[in-house]
Amino acid sequence: MFLVVDGPDGSGKSTQAHLLADWLRRQRFPTADFRDPGATVIGEKIREILLSTAHEAMTTSAEVLLYMAARVQLWAEAIAPALKEGKCVVVDRWLSSTCAYQGYAGGFGMEKVIGVARDSLERVWPDLTIILDVDLKTAAQRLHRELDRIERKGDNYHSRVREGFLRLAQGRPDFVVVDATGSAEAVHQEVVKVVQKLLYVA
Ligand code: TMP
């Protein structure tokens, strides 16, 4: 099973991705977890380029291509082998992020982003994408550290990111939106319920 936890900055998705991976391991499912962009040597280097505050000049199209390049590498080096070994794979962000950030908030177009993904990725969509939904104020309160280049894009951009995620999820049976304003434990329980449903059906 290929599972993705995604959502706006400050939605708590990294915490939830870790909690979900630990929960799956406790249920005795061999599980691998990765972050996108990252998890490979090339992906981590691309991540540095994307998030550096020195790169203010980067265009949205360049962002799309770089996020996609990191993802292609992550798929080939980490996700595909893990799935082949029969593992559950949990990924912190995926194509849904490029759709919401660059496609919707950045104006590149969600359909165009999906087109680039279809041309470059062996597999485009996971079995399940969990979108953690959070309002801007709660999200901002959770971001204590120094902000990266994307996080610095401002409230207008980030409210469009949230809207982008919700639009993308609308009417898709492989997407579930979870309210992420509660405590980490409360959100985790909701995430587990959603995944249990999928495991039960599968
Ligand atoms: P993370 O720190 O939440 O893992 O993600 C790094 C930043 O990159 C975050 O601000 C969201 C942004 N991002 C995009 O803009 N597009 C993408 O496709 C992905 C995966 C992340």
Side-chain angles (χ1 to χ4, degrees):
M1 231 180 5
F2 177 16
L3 306 170
V4 163
V5 181
D6 212 336
D9 292 284
S11 60
K13 84 201 146 41
S14 304
T15 304
Q16 292 304 326
H18 280 130
L19 288 173
L20 174 60
D22 288 346
W23 180 82
L24 285 164
R25 288 186 189 106
R26 284 203 305 279
Q27 311 307 305
R28 302 190 183 284
F29 289 106
T31 300
D33 55 324
F34 309 108
R35 68 172 178 178
D36 174 23
T40 68
V41 172
I42 294 166
E44 291 292 341
K45 283 187 179 164
I46 295 175
R47 182 185 176 91
E48 271 177 42
I49 295 169
L50 278 161
L51 301 186
S52 166
T53 51
H55 297 160
E56 287 303 333
M58 191 180 293
T59 66
T60 303
S61 306
E63 286 176 3
V64 169
L65 296 172
L66 285 171
Y67 278 113
M68 211 63 78
R71 189 166 299 132
V72 166
Q73 209 59 35
L74 172 63
W75 170 264
E77 280 189 44
I79 301 177
L83 290 174
K84 220 172 252 173
E85 284 169 26
K87 289 184 178 157
C88 270
V89 173
V90 178
V91 186
D92 175 347
R93 294 201 188 277
W94 185 248
L95 177 62
S96 31
S97 274
T98 320
C99 287
Y101 282 81
Q102 286 68 41
Y104 194 73
F108 186 88
M110 294 221 244
E111 282 310 314
K112 260 173 75 185
V113 167
I114 295 167
V116 176
R118 288 201 202 288
D119 287 343
S120 46
L121 277 169
E122 210 174 292
R123 176 161 172 185
V124 173
W125 297 111
D127 295 304
L128 177 70
T129 301
I130 299 164
I131 302 293
L132 301 181
D133 183 44
V134 74
D135 60 274
L136 227 55
K137 198 168 155 219
T138 308
Q141 283 164 353
R142 288 177 180 169
L143 293 172
H144 303 302
R145 53 186 170 70
E146 207 179 314
L147 301 185
D148 64 40
R149 190 180 61 82
I150 303 280
E151 287 163 346
R152 286 184 186 197
K153 284 187 188 262
D155 282 0
N156 199 24
Y157 183 89
H158 287 284
S159 64
R160 285 190 51 83
V161 167
R162 180 188 187 195
E163 203 183 319
F165 275 122
L166 297 178
R167 281 186 179 229
L168 183 66
Q170 240 168 32
R172 291 195 61 129
D174 52 341
F175 274 60
V176 175
V177 177
V178 169
D179 179 1
T181 40
S183 68
E185 187 47 39
V187 177
H188 174 58
Q189 291 310 324
E190 285 306 307
V191 169
V192 163
K193 267 192 220 163
V194 169
V195 173
Q196 265 174 333
K197 233 188 248 174
L198 184 76
L199 291 169
Y200 189 67
V201 172

CSV table of all heavy atoms in Angstrom, one decimal, residues 86-110:
chain,number,residue,atom,x,y,z
A,86,GLY,N,7.0,-5.6,-0.9
A,86,GLY,CA,5.7,-5.8,-0.1
A,86,GLY,C,5.5,-4.9,1.1
A,86,GLY,O,4.7,-5.2,1.9
A,87,LYS,N,6.3,-3.8,1.1
A,87,LYS,CA,6.1,-2.9,2.3
A,87,LYS,C,5.0,-1.9,2.1
A,87,LYS,O,4.6,-1.6,0.9
A,87,LYS,CB,7.4,-2.1,2.5
A,87,LYS,CG,8.6,-3.0,3.0
A,87,LYS,CD,9.8,-2.1,3.2
A,87,LYS,CE,10.9,-3.0,3.8
A,87,LYS,NZ,12.2,-2.4,3.6
A,88,CYS,N,4.5,-1.5,3.2
A,88,CYS,CA,3.6,-0.3,3.2
A,88,CYS,C,4.5,0.9,3.1
A,88,CYS,O,5.5,1.0,3.7
A,88,CYS,CB,2.9,-0.2,4.5
A,88,CYS,SG,1.3,-1.0,4.6
A,89,VAL,N,4.2,1.8,2.2
A,89,VAL,CA,5.0,3.0,2.1
A,89,VAL,C,4.2,4.3,2.5
A,89,VAL,O,3.0,4.5,2.0
A,89,VAL,CB,5.5,3.2,0.6
A,89,VAL,CG1,6.2,4.5,0.4
A,89,VAL,CG2,6.4,2.0,0.3
A,90,VAL,N,4.7,5.0,3.4
A,90,VAL,CA,4.1,6.3,3.9
A,90,VAL,C,5.0,7.4,3.4
A,90,VAL,O,6.2,7.5,3.7
A,90,VAL,CB,4.0,6.3,5.4
A,90,VAL,CG1,3.3,7.7,5.8
A,90,VAL,CG2,3.1,5.2,5.9
A,91,VAL,N,4.4,8.4,2.6
A,91,VAL,CA,5.2,9.5,2.2
A,91,VAL,C,4.7,10.8,2.7
A,91,VAL,O,3.4,11.0,2.6
A,91,VAL,CB,5.4,9.5,0.6
A,91,VAL,CG1,6.3,10.6,0.2
A,91,VAL,CG2,5.9,8.2,0.1
A,92,ASP,N,5.6,11.6,3.2
A,92,ASP,CA,5.2,13.0,3.7
A,92,ASP,C,5.3,13.9,2.5
A,92,ASP,O,6.4,14.2,2.0
A,92,ASP,CB,6.3,13.3,4.8
A,92,ASP,CG,6.2,14.7,5.3
A,92,ASP,OD1,5.6,15.5,4.8
A,92,ASP,OD2,6.9,14.9,6.3
A,93,ARG,N,4.1,14.3,1.9
A,93,ARG,CA,3.9,15.0,0.7
A,93,ARG,C,4.1,14.2,-0.5
A,93,ARG,O,4.7,13.1,-0.5
A,93,ARG,CB,4.9,16.3,0.6
A,93,ARG,CG,4.6,17.3,1.7
A,93,ARG,CD,5.1,18.7,1.2
A,93,ARG,NE,5.1,19.7,2.2
A,93,ARG,CZ,4.0,20.4,2.5
A,93,ARG,NH1,2.9,20.2,1.8
A,93,ARG,NH2,4.0,21.3,3.4
A,94,TRP,N,3.5,14.7,-1.7
A,94,TRP,CA,3.6,14.0,-3.0
A,94,TRP,C,3.1,15.0,-4.0
A,94,TRP,O,3.1,16.2,-3.8
A,94,TRP,CB,2.8,12.7,-2.9
A,94,TRP,CG,3.0,11.8,-4.1
A,94,TRP,CD1,2.0,11.5,-5.0
A,94,TRP,CD2,4.1,11.1,-4.6
A,94,TRP,NE1,2.5,10.7,-6.0
A,94,TRP,CE2,3.8,10.4,-5.8
A,94,TRP,CE3,5.4,11.0,-4.1
A,94,TRP,CZ2,4.7,9.6,-6.5
A,94,TRP,CZ3,6.3,10.2,-4.8
A,94,TRP,CH2,5.9,9.5,-6.0
A,95,LEU,N,2.7,14.5,-5.2
A,95,LEU,CA,2.2,15.3,-6.3
A,95,LEU,C,1.1,16.3,-5.8
A,95,LEU,O,1.0,17.3,-6.4
A,95,LEU,CB,1.7,14.3,-7.4
A,95,LEU,CG,1.0,15.0,-8.6
A,95,LEU,CD1,2.0,15.8,-9.3
A,95,LEU,CD2,0.5,13.9,-9.5
A,96,SER,N,0.3,15.8,-4.8
A,96,SER,CA,-0.8,16.7,-4.3
A,96,SER,C,-0.2,18.0,-3.9
A,96,SER,O,-0.9,19.1,-4.1
A,96,SER,CB,-1.5,16.0,-3.2
A,96,SER,OG,-0.7,15.2,-2.4
A,97,SER,N,1.0,18.1,-3.3
A,97,SER,CA,1.6,19.3,-2.9
A,97,SER,C,1.9,20.2,-4.1
A,97,SER,O,1.7,21.4,-4.1
A,97,SER,CB,2.9,19.1,-2.2
A,97,SER,OG,2.7,18.9,-0.8
A,98,THR,N,2.5,19.6,-5.2
A,98,THR,CA,2.8,20.4,-6.4
A,98,THR,C,1.5,21.0,-7.0
A,98,THR,O,1.5,22.1,-7.5
A,98,THR,CB,3.6,19.6,-7.4
A,98,THR,OG1,4.5,18.8,-6.7
A,98,THR,CG2,4.3,20.5,-8.4
A,99,CYS,N,0.4,20.2,-6.9
A,99,CYS,CA,-0.9,20.7,-7.5
A,99,CYS,C,-1.3,21.9,-6.7
A,99,CYS,O,-1.8,22.9,-7.2
A,99,CYS,CB,-1.9,19.5,-7.4
A,99,CYS,SG,-1.7,18.3,-8.6
A,100,ALA,N,-1.3,21.8,-5.3
A,100,ALA,CA,-1.8,22.8,-4.4
A,100,ALA,C,-0.9,24.1,-4.4
A,100,ALA,O,-1.4,25.2,-4.5
A,100,ALA,CB,-2.0,22.3,-3.0
A,101,TYR,N,0.4,23.9,-4.3
A,101,TYR,CA,1.3,25.0,-4.2
A,101,TYR,C,1.6,25.6,-5.6
A,101,TYR,O,1.3,26.8,-5.8
A,101,TYR,CB,2.7,24.5,-3.6
A,101,TYR,CG,2.6,24.3,-2.1
A,101,TYR,CD1,2.1,23.2,-1.5
A,101,TYR,CD2,3.1,25.3,-1.2
A,101,TYR,CE1,2.1,23.0,-0.2
A,101,TYR,CE2,3.1,25.1,0.2
A,101,TYR,CZ,2.6,24.0,0.7
A,101,TYR,OH,2.5,23.8,2.1
A,102,GLN,N,2.3,24.9,-6.5
A,102,GLN,CA,2.6,25.5,-7.7
A,102,GLN,C,1.4,25.6,-8.7
A,102,GLN,O,1.2,26.6,-9.4
A,102,GLN,CB,3.8,24.7,-8.4
A,102,GLN,CG,5.1,24.9,-7.8
A,102,GLN,CD,5.3,24.3,-6.4
A,102,GLN,OE1,4.8,23.2,-6.1
A,102,GLN,NE2,5.9,25.1,-5.5
A,103,GLY,N,0.6,24.5,-8.7
A,103,GLY,CA,-0.5,24.4,-9.7
A,103,GLY,C,-1.5,25.4,-9.4
A,103,GLY,O,-2.0,26.2,-10.2
A,104,TYR,N,-2.0,25.4,-8.1
A,104,TYR,CA,-3.1,26.3,-7.7
A,104,TYR,C,-2.6,27.7,-7.2
A,104,TYR,O,-2.9,28.7,-7.8
A,104,TYR,CB,-4.0,25.6,-6.7
A,104,TYR,CG,-5.4,26.3,-6.6
A,104,TYR,CD1,-6.3,26.2,-7.6
A,104,TYR,CD2,-5.6,27.1,-5.5
A,104,TYR,CE1,-7.5,26.9,-7.5
A,104,TYR,CE2,-6.9,27.7,-5.3
A,104,TYR,CZ,-7.8,27.6,-6.3
A,104,TYR,OH,-9.0,28.3,-6.2
A,105,ALA,N,-1.9,27.7,-6.1
A,105,ALA,CA,-1.5,28.9,-5.5
A,105,ALA,C,-0.5,29.7,-6.4
A,105,ALA,O,-0.6,30.9,-6.5
A,105,ALA,CB,-0.8,28.7,-4.1
A,106,GLY,N,0.4,29.0,-7.1
A,106,GLY,CA,1.4,29.6,-8.0
A,106,GLY,C,0.9,29.9,-9.4
A,106,GLY,O,1.6,30.6,-10.1
A,107,GLY,N,-0.3,29.4,-9.7
A,107,GLY,CA,-0.9,29.7,-11.0
A,107,GLY,C,-0.5,28.9,-12.2
A,107,GLY,O,-0.8,29.2,-13.3
A,108,PHE,N,0.3,27.9,-12.0
A,108,PHE,CA,0.8,27.0,-13.1
A,108,PHE,C,-0.3,26.2,-13.7
A,108,PHE,O,-0.3,25.9,-14.9
A,108,PHE,CB,1.9,26.1,-12.5
A,108,PHE,CG,2.7,25.3,-13.6
A,108,PHE,CD1,3.8,25.8,-14.2
A,108,PHE,CD2,2.2,24.0,-13.9
A,108,PHE,CE1,4.4,25.0,-15.2
A,108,PHE,CE2,2.9,23.2,-14.8
A,108,PHE,CZ,4.0,23.7,-15.5
A,109,GLY,N,-1.3,25.9,-12.8
A,109,GLY,CA,-2.4,25.0,-13.3
A,109,GLY,C,-2.3,23.6,-12.8
A,109,GLY,O,-1.3,23.0,-13.0
A,110,MET,N,-3.3,23.1,-12.1
A,110,MET,CA,-3.2,21.8,-11.5
A,110,MET,C,-3.2,20.7,-12.6
A,110,MET,O,-2.4,19.7,-12.5
A,110,MET,CB,-4.5,21.5,-10.6
A,110,MET,CG,-4.5,22.4,-9.4
A,110,MET,SD,-5.0,21.5,-7.9
A,110,MET,CE,-6.5,22.3,-7.5
